[in-house]
Amino acid sequence: MYAFDLARPTSVADALKALQEEDAQPLAGGQTLVPTLKARLAAPSTLVSLRGISEMQGVCHDDQGRIHIGAATTHAAVEREVAKDYPGLAALAGQIGDPAVRNRGTIGGSLANNDPSACYPAAALGSGATIVTNAREIPADDFFEGMFTTVLEEDELIFSVRFPVPKVSAYAKFAQPASRFALTGVFVAQFDDGVRVAVTGASEDGVFRWSEAEDALGRDFSADAVAGLSVPAEGMIGDLHGTPEYRAHLVGVMTRRAVAAAG
Amino acid sequence: MTKVSMTVNGKPATAEAKGNTLLVDYLREGLGLTGTHVGCDTSQCGACVVHVDGEAVKACSIFALEAEGAEITTIEGMAAPDGTLSAIQQAFQDYHGLQCGFCTPGMVMSAAALLKENPRPSEQEVRDYLEGNLCRCTGYHNIVRAIMAASGQESAVAAE
Ligand SMILES: Cc1cc2nc3c(=O)[nH]c(=O)nc-3n(C[C@H](O)[C@H](O)[C@H](O)COP(=O)(O)OP(=O)(O)OC[C@H]3O[C@@H](n4cnc5c(N)ncnc54)[C@H](O)[C@@H]3O)c2cc1C
Ligand code: FES
Ligand code: FES
């Protein structure tokens, strides 16, 4: 690792001030960033730890029934705290990595990183969540720009994520057994005004909505309704774990499993 | 370099650390507690698992400064001061839950975190919880047996 300073602010105001410094970078759970630093793929001057900022921790509800999750809330805390009110999201958080990763990794870090195989991007896009930063509110539909890229500006900090709660939902993940990331994962959510289907792990452009399946499920919310649909293999990720054709096939299978699990 | 203090295995501890000093290096090199192992250094293997404020954490994936003031438990803190092994450690010995022993500190610390959360887990729950702990000697069956026995569920794991 290159040398850097570690700042531990206790308020958002102090964190934003610390991030003004040249080459400063936020550190949330470090479960992605620490391995990146070890590989010398990043060379920040200062890491600004978000863990001590209580304003960025925890889960609360608003009067419209939406769930607000602080960006520095760990996967383990989300799994525990939304289990009753948003079981589909809790189950997704509980499938990320392993227990030690879930005790440190955070929702804000996962969304900012936008790994094409990460789980939370599917939940955010599949729920129609809103990413709240220090500067603005960004609908999930506009947030993800492609592999490891988002619309976040330099020095922009995710503050919280706001989730509308669907009637039913489920995440079906085909885990890549070595990394435990999604080889392909599908989040399905049924709202009063329609169904959302978000696919992670499959596309070279990162997480995406499968609109054809959304339309079919909007008419008939059953695994059979999507049985005849498929996505083209073109643009899907091909690597030693699976070909583009295999991933395209998994998109259909995991969508049906998610719908069946959501019931 | 700054002096960083935390409570390790119930006792106050202080050692020097830089911004980029990992917790595992602070423990091993700063405090001489070499029971916590580094297997991969890429967050994959779980040999370095310790408890930070009661939660299982990979000590190779957090910085010492992030743990300033925290309560840390390492494998050295598991046995009683007179050397009597904890129930989990004793079960690892009784059920041959270790071969070379490299993964064992992390396995024991993960098992301890599991049994605190879930004192009578099913075998599947044990396997799921150990997802992030790799054993190169592949002694997984005996590790699971040991943890089941340590949770008082010996009958479920009668030796084959
Ligand atoms: C063994 C292992 C298995 C894993 N398995 C999975 C899995 O199955 N599914 C999955 O989805 N993920 C998985 N992960 C990744 C894990 O969920 C990470 O915790 C997560 O991707 C990053 O979150 P973090 O809090 O650790 O962020 P960090 O590593 O601290 O940061 C990641 C990036 O986000 C930036 N950042 C952090 N917080 C903010 C913020 N609030 N605003 C703006 N930028 C911010 C950082 O500067 C950095 O660039 C796994 C990781 C490991 C080590
Ligand atoms: S050394 Fe920490 S996970 Fe392998
Ligand atoms: S006993 Fe050798 S690595 Fe597990």
Side-chain angles (χ1 to χ4, degrees), chain A residues 1-4 6 8 27 31 34-35 38 97-101 103-104 180, chain B residues 19-20 22 41 43 55-56 58 60-63 65-66 68 129 131-132:
Chain A
M1 268 181 284
Y2 296 110
F4 50 80
L6 192 93
R8 285 166 299 156
L27 169 71
Q31 300 302 291
V34 174
K38 287 178 181 173
D98 57 59
V101 167
N103 283 337
R104 295 299 291 193
R180 295 179 287 281
Chain B
N20 66 0
L22 296 167
D41 208 27
S43 311
E55 291 185 329
K58 293 176 184 173
C60 77
S61 305
I62 81 166
F63 297 109
L65 272 167
E66 293 183 274
E68 188 164 34
Y129 203 89
E131 218 163 8

PDB file of all heavy atoms in Angstrom, chain A residues 1-4 6 8 27 31 34-35 38 97-101 103-104 180, chain B residues 19-20 22 41 43 55-56 58 60-63 65-66 68 129 131-132:
ATOM      1  N   MET A   1       0.827  -1.200   0.000  1.00  0.00           N
ATOM      2  CA  MET A   1       0.000   0.000   0.000  1.00  0.00           C
ATOM      3  C   MET A   1       0.861   1.249   0.000  1.00  0.00           C
ATOM      4  O   MET A   1       1.866   1.307   0.692  1.00  0.00           O
ATOM      5  CB  MET A   1      -0.876   0.029   1.268  1.00  0.00           C
ATOM      6  CG  MET A   1      -2.224  -0.591   1.075  1.00  0.00           C
ATOM      7  SD  MET A   1      -3.225  -0.505   2.566  1.00  0.00           S
ATOM      8  CE  MET A   1      -2.508  -1.781   3.573  1.00  0.00           C
ATOM      9  N   TYR A   2       0.433   2.255  -0.732  1.00  0.00           N
ATOM     10  CA  TYR A   2       1.069   3.558  -0.622  1.00  0.00           C
ATOM     11  C   TYR A   2       0.683   4.165   0.729  1.00  0.00           C
ATOM     12  O   TYR A   2      -0.289   3.741   1.344  1.00  0.00           O
ATOM     13  CB  TYR A   2       0.580   4.479  -1.750  1.00  0.00           C
ATOM     14  CG  TYR A   2       0.969   4.012  -3.134  1.00  0.00           C
ATOM     15  CD1 TYR A   2       0.009   3.530  -4.014  1.00  0.00           C
ATOM     16  CD2 TYR A   2       2.289   4.062  -3.551  1.00  0.00           C
ATOM     17  CE1 TYR A   2       0.346   3.094  -5.287  1.00  0.00           C
ATOM     18  CE2 TYR A   2       2.647   3.637  -4.827  1.00  0.00           C
ATOM     19  CZ  TYR A   2       1.673   3.154  -5.687  1.00  0.00           C
ATOM     20  OH  TYR A   2       2.028   2.732  -6.934  1.00  0.00           O
ATOM     21  N   ALA A   3       1.427   5.168   1.150  1.00  0.00           N
ATOM     22  CA  ALA A   3       1.128   5.816   2.424  1.00  0.00           C
ATOM     23  C   ALA A   3      -0.051   6.782   2.266  1.00  0.00           C
ATOM     24  O   ALA A   3      -0.261   7.366   1.202  1.00  0.00           O
ATOM     25  CB  ALA A   3       2.349   6.572   2.918  1.00  0.00           C
ATOM     26  N   PHE A   4      -0.846   6.890   3.317  1.00  0.00           N
ATOM     27  CA  PHE A   4      -1.935   7.881   3.345  1.00  0.00           C
ATOM     28  C   PHE A   4      -2.278   8.158   4.797  1.00  0.00           C
ATOM     29  O   PHE A   4      -1.896   7.402   5.692  1.00  0.00           O
ATOM     30  CB  PHE A   4      -3.179   7.378   2.584  1.00  0.00           C
ATOM     31  CG  PHE A   4      -3.608   5.998   2.983  1.00  0.00           C
ATOM     32  CD1 PHE A   4      -4.337   5.788   4.140  1.00  0.00           C
ATOM     33  CD2 PHE A   4      -3.262   4.894   2.204  1.00  0.00           C
ATOM     34  CE1 PHE A   4      -4.719   4.508   4.515  1.00  0.00           C
ATOM     35  CE2 PHE A   4      -3.635   3.617   2.575  1.00  0.00           C
ATOM     36  CZ  PHE A   4      -4.372   3.420   3.737  1.00  0.00           C
ATOM     37  N   LEU A   6      -5.333   8.698   7.654  1.00  0.00           N
ATOM     38  CA  LEU A   6      -6.700   8.230   7.874  1.00  0.00           C
ATOM     39  C   LEU A   6      -7.409   9.247   8.765  1.00  0.00           C
ATOM     40  O   LEU A   6      -6.979   9.471   9.901  1.00  0.00           O
ATOM     41  CB  LEU A   6      -6.674   6.849   8.543  1.00  0.00           C
ATOM     42  CG  LEU A   6      -8.021   6.157   8.558  1.00  0.00           C
ATOM     43  CD1 LEU A   6      -8.151   5.262   7.334  1.00  0.00           C
ATOM     44  CD2 LEU A   6      -8.186   5.321   9.796  1.00  0.00           C
ATOM     45  N   ARG A   8     -10.874  10.492  10.714  1.00  0.00           N
ATOM     46  CA  ARG A   8     -12.080   9.878  11.288  1.00  0.00           C
ATOM     47  C   ARG A   8     -13.052  10.941  11.791  1.00  0.00           C
ATOM     48  O   ARG A   8     -13.202  11.139  13.002  1.00  0.00           O
ATOM     49  CB  ARG A   8     -11.684   8.917  12.419  1.00  0.00           C
ATOM     50  CG  ARG A   8     -11.086   7.616  11.867  1.00  0.00           C
ATOM     51  CD  ARG A   8     -10.396   6.837  12.947  1.00  0.00           C
ATOM     52  NE  ARG A   8      -9.295   7.602  13.512  1.00  0.00           N
ATOM     53  CZ  ARG A   8      -8.797   7.404  14.736  1.00  0.00           C
ATOM     54  NH1 ARG A   8      -9.313   6.484  15.515  1.00  0.00           N
ATOM     55  NH2 ARG A   8      -7.784   8.127  15.170  1.00  0.00           N
ATOM     56  N   LEU A  27     -13.734   6.214   2.920  1.00  0.00           N
ATOM     57  CA  LEU A  27     -13.547   4.810   3.299  1.00  0.00           C
ATOM     58  C   LEU A  27     -14.784   4.414   4.090  1.00  0.00           C
ATOM     59  O   LEU A  27     -15.074   5.005   5.122  1.00  0.00           O
ATOM     60  CB  LEU A  27     -12.302   4.655   4.182  1.00  0.00           C
ATOM     61  CG  LEU A  27     -12.119   3.293   4.863  1.00  0.00           C
ATOM     62  CD1 LEU A  27     -11.750   2.226   3.845  1.00  0.00           C
ATOM     63  CD2 LEU A  27     -11.034   3.372   5.951  1.00  0.00           C
ATOM     64  N   GLN A  31     -14.227  -3.119   2.387  1.00  0.00           N
ATOM     65  CA  GLN A  31     -14.183  -4.503   1.902  1.00  0.00           C
ATOM     66  C   GLN A  31     -13.861  -4.577   0.406  1.00  0.00           C
ATOM     67  O   GLN A  31     -13.432  -5.606  -0.093  1.00  0.00           O
ATOM     68  CB  GLN A  31     -15.496  -5.230   2.208  1.00  0.00           C
ATOM     69  CG  GLN A  31     -15.810  -5.284   3.688  1.00  0.00           C
ATOM     70  CD  GLN A  31     -14.715  -5.968   4.496  1.00  0.00           C
ATOM     71  OE1 GLN A  31     -14.514  -7.161   4.396  1.00  0.00           O
ATOM     72  NE2 GLN A  31     -13.985  -5.202   5.298  1.00  0.00           N
ATOM     73  N   VAL A  34      -9.956  -1.666   0.616  1.00  0.00           N
ATOM     74  CA  VAL A  34      -8.683  -2.128   1.198  1.00  0.00           C
ATOM     75  C   VAL A  34      -7.951  -3.068   0.231  1.00  0.00           C
ATOM     76  O   VAL A  34      -6.760  -2.862  -0.038  1.00  0.00           O
ATOM     77  CB  VAL A  34      -8.885  -2.734   2.604  1.00  0.00           C
ATOM     78  CG1 VAL A  34      -7.579  -3.340   3.121  1.00  0.00           C
ATOM     79  CG2 VAL A  34      -9.384  -1.667   3.577  1.00  0.00           C
ATOM     80  N   PRO A  35      -8.627  -4.081  -0.344  1.00  0.00           N
ATOM     81  CA  PRO A  35      -7.921  -4.889  -1.347  1.00  0.00           C
ATOM     82  C   PRO A  35      -7.421  -4.055  -2.538  1.00  0.00           C
ATOM     83  O   PRO A  35      -6.343  -4.326  -3.082  1.00  0.00           O
ATOM     84  CB  PRO A  35      -8.978  -5.909  -1.806  1.00  0.00           C
ATOM     85  CG  PRO A  35      -9.949  -5.992  -0.668  1.00  0.00           C
ATOM     86  CD  PRO A  35      -9.965  -4.632  -0.040  1.00  0.00           C
ATOM     87  N   LYS A  38      -4.269  -2.381  -1.438  1.00  0.00           N
ATOM     88  CA  LYS A  38      -3.162  -3.341  -1.355  1.00  0.00           C
ATOM     89  C   LYS A  38      -2.591  -3.628  -2.736  1.00  0.00           C
ATOM     90  O   LYS A  38      -1.392  -3.846  -2.896  1.00  0.00           O
ATOM     91  CB  LYS A  38      -3.643  -4.644  -0.731  1.00  0.00           C
ATOM     92  CG  LYS A  38      -3.894  -4.548   0.761  1.00  0.00           C
ATOM     93  CD  LYS A  38      -4.403  -5.886   1.239  1.00  0.00           C
ATOM     94  CE  LYS A  38      -4.711  -5.877   2.712  1.00  0.00           C
ATOM     95  NZ  LYS A  38      -5.360  -7.126   3.127  1.00  0.00           N
ATOM     96  N   GLY A  97     -21.533 -11.815   0.266  1.00  0.00           N
ATOM     97  CA  GLY A  97     -20.264 -12.311   0.800  1.00  0.00           C
ATOM     98  C   GLY A  97     -20.424 -13.296   1.938  1.00  0.00           C
ATOM     99  O   GLY A  97     -21.158 -14.271   1.830  1.00  0.00           O
ATOM    100  N   ASP A  98     -19.752 -13.020   3.053  1.00  0.00           N
ATOM    101  CA  ASP A  98     -19.781 -13.887   4.225  1.00  0.00           C
ATOM    102  C   ASP A  98     -20.015 -13.007   5.456  1.00  0.00           C
ATOM    103  O   ASP A  98     -20.013 -11.777   5.342  1.00  0.00           O
ATOM    104  CB  ASP A  98     -18.456 -14.658   4.309  1.00  0.00           C
ATOM    105  CG  ASP A  98     -17.260 -13.724   4.353  1.00  0.00           C
ATOM    106  OD1 ASP A  98     -17.180 -12.900   5.281  1.00  0.00           O
ATOM    107  OD2 ASP A  98     -16.408 -13.793   3.440  1.00  0.00           O
ATOM    108  N   PRO A  99     -20.202 -13.607   6.643  1.00  0.00           N
ATOM    109  CA  PRO A  99     -20.556 -12.780   7.814  1.00  0.00           C
ATOM    110  C   PRO A  99     -19.555 -11.663   8.120  1.00  0.00           C
ATOM    111  O   PRO A  99     -19.969 -10.546   8.453  1.00  0.00           O
ATOM    112  CB  PRO A  99     -20.597 -13.802   8.964  1.00  0.00           C
ATOM    113  CG  PRO A  99     -20.943 -15.091   8.303  1.00  0.00           C
ATOM    114  CD  PRO A  99     -20.280 -15.054   6.955  1.00  0.00           C
ATOM    115  N   ALA A 100     -18.262 -11.942   7.988  1.00  0.00           N
ATOM    116  CA  ALA A 100     -17.280 -10.898   8.317  1.00  0.00           C
ATOM    117  C   ALA A 100     -17.353  -9.741   7.315  1.00  0.00           C
ATOM    118  O   ALA A 100     -17.204  -8.572   7.688  1.00  0.00           O
ATOM    119  CB  ALA A 100     -15.868 -11.490   8.354  1.00  0.00           C
ATOM    120  N   VAL A 101     -17.616 -10.044   6.055  1.00  0.00           N
ATOM    121  CA  VAL A 101     -17.794  -8.990   5.037  1.00  0.00           C
ATOM    122  C   VAL A 101     -19.058  -8.189   5.357  1.00  0.00           C
ATOM    123  O   VAL A 101     -19.067  -6.956   5.285  1.00  0.00           O
ATOM    124  CB  VAL A 101     -17.883  -9.601   3.622  1.00  0.00           C
ATOM    125  CG1 VAL A 101     -18.385  -8.580   2.603  1.00  0.00           C
ATOM    126  CG2 VAL A 101     -16.517 -10.147   3.188  1.00  0.00           C
ATOM    127  N   ASN A 103     -20.368  -7.660   8.229  1.00  0.00           N
ATOM    128  CA  ASN A 103     -20.190  -6.840   9.425  1.00  0.00           C
ATOM    129  C   ASN A 103     -19.472  -5.530   9.131  1.00  0.00           C
ATOM    130  O   ASN A 103     -19.451  -4.636   9.969  1.00  0.00           O
ATOM    131  CB  ASN A 103     -19.394  -7.602  10.495  1.00  0.00           C
ATOM    132  CG  ASN A 103     -20.251  -8.627  11.208  1.00  0.00           C
ATOM    133  OD1 ASN A 103     -21.478  -8.504  11.232  1.00  0.00           O
ATOM    134  ND2 ASN A 103     -19.617  -9.646  11.780  1.00  0.00           N
ATOM    135  N   ARG A 104     -18.828  -5.414   7.971  1.00  0.00           N
ATOM    136  CA  ARG A 104     -18.088  -4.188   7.637  1.00  0.00           C
ATOM    137  C   ARG A 104     -18.644  -3.480   6.407  1.00  0.00           C
ATOM    138  O   ARG A 104     -18.730  -2.255   6.386  1.00  0.00           O
ATOM    139  CB  ARG A 104     -16.609  -4.501   7.369  1.00  0.00           C
ATOM    140  CG  ARG A 104     -15.837  -5.006   8.541  1.00  0.00           C
ATOM    141  CD  ARG A 104     -15.761  -4.042   9.698  1.00  0.00           C
ATOM    142  NE  ARG A 104     -14.961  -2.835   9.457  1.00  0.00           N
ATOM    143  CZ  ARG A 104     -14.570  -1.999  10.420  1.00  0.00           C
ATOM    144  NH1 ARG A 104     -14.879  -2.255  11.675  1.00  0.00           N
ATOM    145  NH2 ARG A 104     -13.872  -0.918  10.141  1.00  0.00           N
ATOM    146  N   ARG A 180     -18.232 -15.411  -4.316  1.00  0.00           N
ATOM    147  CA  ARG A 180     -19.541 -15.228  -3.682  1.00  0.00           C
ATOM    148  C   ARG A 180     -20.311 -14.020  -4.213  1.00  0.00           C
ATOM    149  O   ARG A 180     -21.386 -13.703  -3.733  1.00  0.00           O
ATOM    150  CB  ARG A 180     -19.439 -15.204  -2.161  1.00  0.00           C
ATOM    151  CG  ARG A 180     -18.967 -16.538  -1.600  1.00  0.00           C
ATOM    152  CD  ARG A 180     -18.846 -16.535  -0.115  1.00  0.00           C
ATOM    153  NE  ARG A 180     -17.710 -15.768   0.352  1.00  0.00           N
ATOM    154  CZ  ARG A 180     -16.449 -16.206   0.348  1.00  0.00           C
ATOM    155  NH1 ARG A 180     -16.187 -17.404  -0.072  1.00  0.00           N
ATOM    156  NH2 ARG A 180     -15.478 -15.458   0.784  1.00  0.00           N
TER     157      ARG A 180
ATOM    158  N   GLY B  19      -1.215   5.459   9.151  1.00  0.00           N
ATOM    159  CA  GLY B  19      -2.557   5.475   8.560  1.00  0.00           C
ATOM    160  C   GLY B  19      -2.872   4.169   7.857  1.00  0.00           C
ATOM    161  O   GLY B  19      -3.996   3.672   7.913  1.00  0.00           O
ATOM    162  N   ASN B  20      -1.869   3.585   7.199  1.00  0.00           N
ATOM    163  CA  ASN B  20      -2.146   2.386   6.401  1.00  0.00           C
ATOM    164  C   ASN B  20      -1.752   1.080   7.116  1.00  0.00           C
ATOM    165  O   ASN B  20      -1.619   0.053   6.472  1.00  0.00           O
ATOM    166  CB  ASN B  20      -1.463   2.483   5.032  1.00  0.00           C
ATOM    167  CG  ASN B  20       0.055   2.464   5.124  1.00  0.00           C
ATOM    168  OD1 ASN B  20       0.607   2.371   6.205  1.00  0.00           O
ATOM    169  ND2 ASN B  20       0.711   2.552   3.970  1.00  0.00           N
ATOM    170  N   LEU B  22      -2.555  -2.136   8.870  1.00  0.00           N
ATOM    171  CA  LEU B  22      -3.730  -2.993   9.013  1.00  0.00           C
ATOM    172  C   LEU B  22      -3.852  -3.467  10.462  1.00  0.00           C
ATOM    173  O   LEU B  22      -2.847  -3.637  11.158  1.00  0.00           O
ATOM    174  CB  LEU B  22      -3.610  -4.208   8.090  1.00  0.00           C
ATOM    175  CG  LEU B  22      -3.584  -3.892   6.587  1.00  0.00           C
ATOM    176  CD1 LEU B  22      -3.145  -5.115   5.794  1.00  0.00           C
ATOM    177  CD2 LEU B  22      -4.951  -3.400   6.115  1.00  0.00           C
ATOM    178  N   ASP B  41      -4.412 -12.246   2.416  1.00  0.00           N
ATOM    179  CA  ASP B  41      -4.230 -10.803   2.356  1.00  0.00           C
ATOM    180  C   ASP B  41      -5.131 -10.150   1.308  1.00  0.00           C
ATOM    181  O   ASP B  41      -4.941  -9.011   0.954  1.00  0.00           O
ATOM    182  CB  ASP B  41      -2.756 -10.476   2.077  1.00  0.00           C
ATOM    183  CG  ASP B  41      -2.365  -9.122   2.661  1.00  0.00           C
ATOM    184  OD1 ASP B  41      -2.987  -8.701   3.649  1.00  0.00           O
ATOM    185  OD2 ASP B  41      -1.451  -8.485   2.104  1.00  0.00           O
ATOM    186  N   SER B  43      -8.693 -10.600   1.511  1.00  0.00           N
ATOM    187  CA  SER B  43     -10.040 -10.631   2.105  1.00  0.00           C
ATOM    188  C   SER B  43     -10.826 -11.893   1.787  1.00  0.00           C
ATOM    189  O   SER B  43     -12.042 -11.915   1.969  1.00  0.00           O
ATOM    190  CB  SER B  43     -10.886  -9.417   1.671  1.00  0.00           C
ATOM    191  OG  SER B  43     -10.185  -8.233   1.837  1.00  0.00           O
ATOM    192  N   GLU B  55     -18.005  -8.382  17.021  1.00  0.00           N
ATOM    193  CA  GLU B  55     -18.375  -8.862  15.683  1.00  0.00           C
ATOM    194  C   GLU B  55     -17.177  -9.446  14.955  1.00  0.00           C
ATOM    195  O   GLU B  55     -16.069  -8.897  15.021  1.00  0.00           O
ATOM    196  CB  GLU B  55     -18.922  -7.703  14.839  1.00  0.00           C
ATOM    197  CG  GLU B  55     -20.261  -7.199  15.326  1.00  0.00           C
ATOM    198  CD  GLU B  55     -20.836  -6.146  14.408  1.00  0.00           C
ATOM    199  OE1 GLU B  55     -20.053  -5.397  13.779  1.00  0.00           O
ATOM    200  OE2 GLU B  55     -22.078  -6.075  14.304  1.00  0.00           O
ATOM    201  N   ALA B  56     -17.414 -10.537  14.217  1.00  0.00           N
ATOM    202  CA  ALA B  56     -16.353 -11.144  13.424  1.00  0.00           C
ATOM    203  C   ALA B  56     -15.959 -10.200  12.296  1.00  0.00           C
ATOM    204  O   ALA B  56     -16.813  -9.710  11.555  1.00  0.00           O
ATOM    205  CB  ALA B  56     -16.832 -12.477  12.848  1.00  0.00           C
ATOM    206  N   LYS B  58     -12.569  -9.395   9.347  1.00  0.00           N
ATOM    207  CA  LYS B  58     -11.291  -9.813   8.790  1.00  0.00           C
ATOM    208  C   LYS B  58     -10.248  -8.748   9.115  1.00  0.00           C
ATOM    209  O   LYS B  58     -10.313  -7.634   8.579  1.00  0.00           O
ATOM    210  CB  LYS B  58     -11.412 -10.017   7.276  1.00  0.00           C
ATOM    211  CG  LYS B  58     -12.316 -11.213   6.938  1.00  0.00           C
ATOM    212  CD  LYS B  58     -12.541 -11.383   5.459  1.00  0.00           C
ATOM    213  CE  LYS B  58     -13.532 -12.524   5.219  1.00  0.00           C
ATOM    214  NZ  LYS B  58     -13.939 -12.647   3.820  1.00  0.00           N
ATOM    215  N   CYS B  60      -7.347  -8.335   8.237  1.00  0.00           N
ATOM    216  CA  CYS B  60      -6.504  -7.870   7.126  1.00  0.00           C
ATOM    217  C   CYS B  60      -7.240  -6.843   6.299  1.00  0.00           C
ATOM    218  O   CYS B  60      -6.707  -6.315   5.332  1.00  0.00           O
ATOM    219  CB  CYS B  60      -6.103  -9.033   6.222  1.00  0.00           C
ATOM    220  SG  CYS B  60      -7.429  -9.585   5.121  1.00  0.00           S
ATOM    221  N   SER B  61      -8.504  -6.568   6.621  1.00  0.00           N
ATOM    222  CA  SER B  61      -9.310  -5.685   5.773  1.00  0.00           C
ATOM    223  C   SER B  61      -9.788  -4.443   6.511  1.00  0.00           C
ATOM    224  O   SER B  61     -10.681  -3.747   6.034  1.00  0.00           O
ATOM    225  CB  SER B  61     -10.520  -6.435   5.214  1.00  0.00           C
ATOM    226  OG  SER B  61     -10.080  -7.593   4.543  1.00  0.00           O
ATOM    227  N   ILE B  62      -9.227  -4.198   7.699  1.00  0.00           N
ATOM    228  CA  ILE B  62      -9.506  -2.916   8.357  1.00  0.00           C
ATOM    229  C   ILE B  62      -8.179  -2.355   8.883  1.00  0.00           C
ATOM    230  O   ILE B  62      -7.212  -3.094   9.103  1.00  0.00           O
ATOM    231  CB  ILE B  62     -10.573  -2.997   9.473  1.00  0.00           C
ATOM    232  CG1 ILE B  62      -9.994  -3.499  10.801  1.00  0.00           C
ATOM    233  CG2 ILE B  62     -11.747  -3.874   9.076  1.00  0.00           C
ATOM    234  CD1 ILE B  62     -10.963  -3.250  11.952  1.00  0.00           C
ATOM    235  N   PHE B  63      -8.153  -1.066   9.083  1.00  0.00           N
ATOM    236  CA  PHE B  63      -6.944  -0.409   9.568  1.00  0.00           C
ATOM    237  C   PHE B  63      -6.962  -0.343  11.093  1.00  0.00           C
ATOM    238  O   PHE B  63      -8.032  -0.252  11.712  1.00  0.00           O
ATOM    239  CB  PHE B  63      -6.837   0.997   8.965  1.00  0.00           C
ATOM    240  CG  PHE B  63      -6.710   0.963   7.466  1.00  0.00           C
ATOM    241  CD1 PHE B  63      -7.752   1.380   6.648  1.00  0.00           C
ATOM    242  CD2 PHE B  63      -5.551   0.456   6.870  1.00  0.00           C
ATOM    243  CE1 PHE B  63      -7.648   1.315   5.267  1.00  0.00           C
ATOM    244  CE2 PHE B  63      -5.437   0.387   5.494  1.00  0.00           C
ATOM    245  CZ  PHE B  63      -6.485   0.810   4.688  1.00  0.00           C
ATOM    246  N   LEU B  65      -6.161   2.043  12.969  1.00  0.00           N
ATOM    247  CA  LEU B  65      -6.758   3.288  13.468  1.00  0.00           C
ATOM    248  C   LEU B  65      -8.281   3.209  13.546  1.00  0.00           C
ATOM    249  O   LEU B  65      -8.899   3.855  14.372  1.00  0.00           O
ATOM    250  CB  LEU B  65      -6.354   4.457  12.564  1.00  0.00           C
ATOM    251  CG  LEU B  65      -5.048   5.149  12.919  1.00  0.00           C
ATOM    252  CD1 LEU B  65      -4.618   6.051  11.768  1.00  0.00           C
ATOM    253  CD2 LEU B  65      -5.210   5.964  14.197  1.00  0.00           C
ATOM    254  N   GLU B  66      -8.882   2.395  12.665  1.00  0.00           N
ATOM    255  CA  GLU B  66     -10.343   2.260  12.713  1.00  0.00           C
ATOM    256  C   GLU B  66     -10.792   1.521  13.969  1.00  0.00           C
ATOM    257  O   GLU B  66     -11.964   1.567  14.329  1.00  0.00           O
ATOM    258  CB  GLU B  66     -10.850   1.482  11.489  1.00  0.00           C
ATOM    259  CG  GLU B  66     -10.690   2.183  10.171  1.00  0.00           C
ATOM    260  CD  GLU B  66     -11.299   1.331   9.072  1.00  0.00           C
ATOM    261  OE1 GLU B  66     -10.590   0.444   8.542  1.00  0.00           O
ATOM    262  OE2 GLU B  66     -12.485   1.529   8.762  1.00  0.00           O
ATOM    263  N   GLU B  68      -9.303   1.946  16.941  1.00  0.00           N
ATOM    264  CA  GLU B  68      -8.859   2.649  18.144  1.00  0.00           C
ATOM    265  C   GLU B  68     -10.004   2.707  19.160  1.00  0.00           C
ATOM    266  O   GLU B  68     -11.131   3.052  18.818  1.00  0.00           O
ATOM    267  CB  GLU B  68      -8.396   4.071  17.787  1.00  0.00           C
ATOM    268  CG  GLU B  68      -7.745   4.761  18.957  1.00  0.00           C
ATOM    269  CD  GLU B  68      -6.945   5.989  18.532  1.00  0.00           C
ATOM    270  OE1 GLU B  68      -7.348   6.678  17.579  1.00  0.00           O
ATOM    271  OE2 GLU B  68      -5.909   6.247  19.172  1.00  0.00           O
ATOM    272  N   TYR B 129     -22.318 -20.123   7.734  1.00  0.00           N
ATOM    273  CA  TYR B 129     -21.606 -19.095   8.491  1.00  0.00           C
ATOM    274  C   TYR B 129     -20.111 -19.124   8.186  1.00  0.00           C
ATOM    275  O   TYR B 129     -19.436 -18.103   8.257  1.00  0.00           O
ATOM    276  CB  TYR B 129     -21.858 -19.266   9.994  1.00  0.00           C
ATOM    277  CG  TYR B 129     -21.631 -17.991  10.762  1.00  0.00           C
ATOM    278  CD1 TYR B 129     -22.671 -17.078  10.941  1.00  0.00           C
ATOM    279  CD2 TYR B 129     -20.382 -17.671  11.277  1.00  0.00           C
ATOM    280  CE1 TYR B 129     -22.467 -15.893  11.614  1.00  0.00           C
ATOM    281  CE2 TYR B 129     -20.165 -16.487  11.954  1.00  0.00           C
ATOM    282  CZ  TYR B 129     -21.221 -15.602  12.125  1.00  0.00           C
ATOM    283  OH  TYR B 129     -21.010 -14.418  12.780  1.00  0.00           O
ATOM    284  N   GLU B 131     -18.770 -19.633   5.374  1.00  0.00           N
ATOM    285  CA  GLU B 131     -18.550 -19.380   3.958  1.00  0.00           C
ATOM    286  C   GLU B 131     -17.255 -18.615   3.689  1.00  0.00           C
ATOM    287  O   GLU B 131     -16.584 -18.841   2.687  1.00  0.00           O
ATOM    288  CB  GLU B 131     -19.725 -18.547   3.438  1.00  0.00           C
ATOM    289  CG  GLU B 131     -20.162 -18.900   2.076  1.00  0.00           C
ATOM    290  CD  GLU B 131     -21.558 -18.337   1.811  1.00  0.00           C
ATOM    291  OE1 GLU B 131     -22.085 -17.573   2.636  1.00  0.00           O
ATOM    292  OE2 GLU B 131     -22.098 -18.677   0.767  1.00  0.00           O
ATOM    293  N   GLY B 132     -16.894 -17.714   4.588  1.00  0.00           N
ATOM    294  CA  GLY B 132     -15.707 -16.891   4.366  1.00  0.00           C
ATOM    295  C   GLY B 132     -14.452 -17.435   5.025  1.00  0.00           C
ATOM    296  O   GLY B 132     -13.469 -16.716   5.131  1.00  0.00           O
TER     297      GLY B 132
END
